[in-house]
Amino acid sequence: MINRNINIIQRIIYSIALIVVGIGIFSNPGSSFFQLSSIGFPYWVLDLVVILPLVYQLIFNNRIGWFVLISLTVIHFVWTTINLYQNSESTTLIGTLVMYLVLAGGLLFILKPRHIRV
């Protein structure tokens, strides 16, 4: 029964994350959805890279999806930190963003799925 409650809480948190990401993606009415990003991919591809693991984790909630989300968070953390360090004069911005990314990674680590019977 406890595993079932944890599973429901995890799915609620993943659905909230999916809603927040969706609002962030679609809140810019004049967005450059089909333009190329700085790494050479269209923005819609980068949006799918974020949305698909969240949807997968919302549906299946297993360690494979969790590992993909943790990996994406670590890659985003390293990439963003390096780019901000090279291109920004504001150490406050770097510190704030690093703190948020560490908190997001910590939350994902806490959400690591346990062995759940289906």
Side-chain angles (χ1 to χ4, degrees):
M1 186 66 179
I2 292 175
N3 282 340
R4 179 104 172 117
N5 291 339
I6 291 172
N7 187 20
I8 291 170
I9 290 169
Q10 288 173 339
R11 289 174 192 255
I12 288 171
I13 292 172
Y14 288 126
S15 63
I16 290 170
L18 186 61
I19 290 169
V20 168
V21 167
I23 289 172
I25 290 171
F26 297 112
S27 66
N28 189 1
S31 69
S32 53
F33 203 60
F34 295 104
Q35 292 180 354
L36 293 180
S37 67
S38 62
I39 58 174
F41 292 105
Y43 282 108
W44 67 269
V45 172
L46 298 178
D47 295 338
L48 280 179
V49 168
V50 175
I51 290 175
L52 289 179
L54 282 171
V55 170
Y56 177 86
Q57 195 65 358
L58 186 63
I59 294 170
F60 298 109
N61 195 21
N62 59 23
R63 289 191 181 192
I64 295 170
W66 176 82
F67 182 75
V68 169
L69 285 172
I70 281 286
S71 299
L72 288 174
T73 303
V74 168
I75 290 168
H76 183 265
F77 172 76
V78 170
W79 182 275
T80 304
T81 305
I82 289 171
N83 282 340
L84 277 177
Y85 183 73
Q86 291 174 349
N87 300 328
S88 179
E89 300 291 325
S90 173
T91 57
T92 306
L93 176 66
I94 294 171
T96 304
L97 190 60
V98 166
M99 180 185 69
Y100 284 129
L101 288 172
V102 167
L103 286 174
L107 178 64
L108 281 174
F109 188 76
I110 291 171
L111 289 175
K112 180 179 177 183
R114 313 300 190 264
H115 293 291
I116 301 171
R117 294 182 188 173
V118 180

